[in-house]
Amino acid sequence: YFQVMTSELAFALSPRVLSPAKTLGFGGFEISFLTSFHLIHNQEPYWNVTEQGNPTGGLQSVHFQARKGLPLGFEISTNVGQILSSNMYAIGGGLKFALSEGYFVIPDFSTGLSINRLLGARDLDMTMGSIDFIASKAFGIQAMTTLIPHLGYSLLMTNVASHIIDPTPASIGIEQASRNVVFEEQPIFDNKAHKIVVGTTATMFIFSLAAEWSYYIGKSVTYISPTDGSSAEYSPNLQTFSLKLSVGF
């Protein structure tokens, strides 16, 4: 249960693409607000046994992001985000490099590296890394608006470990303390997943609005129920829908 639940949580907190392949250029700067809705397997036992009441069917997250263009086709970024209705936050940054940009016929291509770190979860220690490849092409509309579709692939890697977890926090005593558990660490290079993204960005003057759909393909695992010992095959294929509003300078 621990491995499959944290894989879905990591997807919700992992770095976003939500931008064209082209960098901002030397001197360019952009600030953004992002919101995402992540479809989870809310009927699976690992969500029902960890949440009071009925699962919502999805996790909603918000992020604030800042991007800064650098010389030679590089760009740096930083972000901070939260899963709403929780105390879980993520903070991180990234570096992007344009392999090709600004050509009239050839699409823009870029690659990047991003890292996010989970904060606010006393039971979890989680670090998420992403290697991204993005392609995009700009199209002008009525000389005032630019539409930039993008297609991307990300290799996601997550390092997950648990702190000491008390399964019965309302109870006290030596007997209850003996039931505390620590789950086995999942090393970052053994815990990989894939993400495909499709989106588009519309820009007008200094404003831009981006929409993106992403599909997460994780490693299939077999989990065992802690209640009856039954086993089931789990394929963590998830979807996220995201919007981003940006102002560039």
Side-chain angles (χ1 to χ4, degrees):
Y1 279 8
F2 178 74
Q3 182 177 356
V4 294
M5 188 191 73
T6 53
S7 68
E8 297 194 9
L9 184 61
F11 180 52
L13 291 169
S14 63
R16 302 280 174 271
V17 175
L18 262 176
S19 63
K22 187 176 181 180
T23 62
L24 296 175
F26 180 60
F29 181 72
E30 180 186 87
I31 55 175
S32 308
F33 170 77
L34 299 77
T35 181
S36 302
F37 186 77
H38 316 273
L39 298 177
I40 62 174
H41 294 99
N42 62 308
Q43 299 302 319
E44 295 293 340
Y46 51 85
W47 281 113
N48 287 274
V49 299
T50 58
E51 181 176 90
Q52 296 181 354
N54 295 323
T56 62
L59 300 175
Q60 186 175 1
S61 64
V62 294
H63 286 76
F64 290 94
Q65 182 188 69
R67 300 164 57 207
K68 178 69 176 70
L70 298 174
L72 304 176
F74 285 93
E75 178 184 291
I76 58 173
S77 63
T78 184
N79 74 90
V80 59
Q82 180 191 15
I83 292 183
L84 298 184
S85 302
S86 79
N87 294 322
M88 290 182 286
Y89 296 82
I91 187 170
L95 176 67
K96 182 166 77 172
F97 174 67
L99 302 171
S100 170
E101 63 178 352
Y103 294 99
F104 181 74
V105 178
I106 302 175
D108 299 325
F109 295 96
S110 69
T111 184
L113 173 66
S114 301
I115 296 177
N116 276 11
R117 174 76 175 168
L118 173 65
L119 303 174
R122 67 177 185 178
D123 296 328
L124 281 179
D125 186 295
M126 182 183 294
T127 301
M128 298 138 286
S130 174
I131 301 175
D132 308 313
F133 301 91
I134 313 167
S136 65
K137 187 72 175 73
F139 300 92
I141 301 176
Q142 297 182 349
M144 296 180 61
T145 304
T146 303
L147 191 66
I148 316 173
H150 68 267
L151 175 67
Y153 164 80
S154 298
L155 174 64
L156 303 178
M157 296 174 287
T158 307
N159 190 92
V160 184
S162 77
H163 300 149
I164 298 176
I165 297 177
D166 182 1
T168 55
S171 303
I172 58 175
I174 297 178
E175 181 180 351
Q176 298 299 327
S178 65
R179 300 178 181 176
N180 294 348
V181 295
V182 176
F183 290 99
E184 183 179 355
E185 180 178 1
Q186 302 168 41
I188 190 168
F189 293 109
D190 295 336
N191 196 17
K192 302 184 184 72
H194 308 275
K195 182 170 69 173
I196 298 171
V197 300
V198 178
T200 188
T201 302
T203 64
M204 179 180 291
F205 304 111
I206 64 172
F207 303 100
S208 65
L209 177 65
E212 183 179 271
W213 168 81
S214 57
Y215 188 69
Y216 173 89
I217 306 170
K219 179 181 178 182
S220 296
V221 298
T222 300
Y223 66 81
I224 301 175
S225 171
T227 54
D228 57 13
S230 61
S231 62
E233 188 73 17
Y234 169 77
S235 298
N237 300 328
L238 310 170
Q239 299 181 67
T240 289
F241 302 91
S242 303
L243 291 173
K244 181 178 79 169
L245 180 62
S246 306
V247 179
F249 303 95

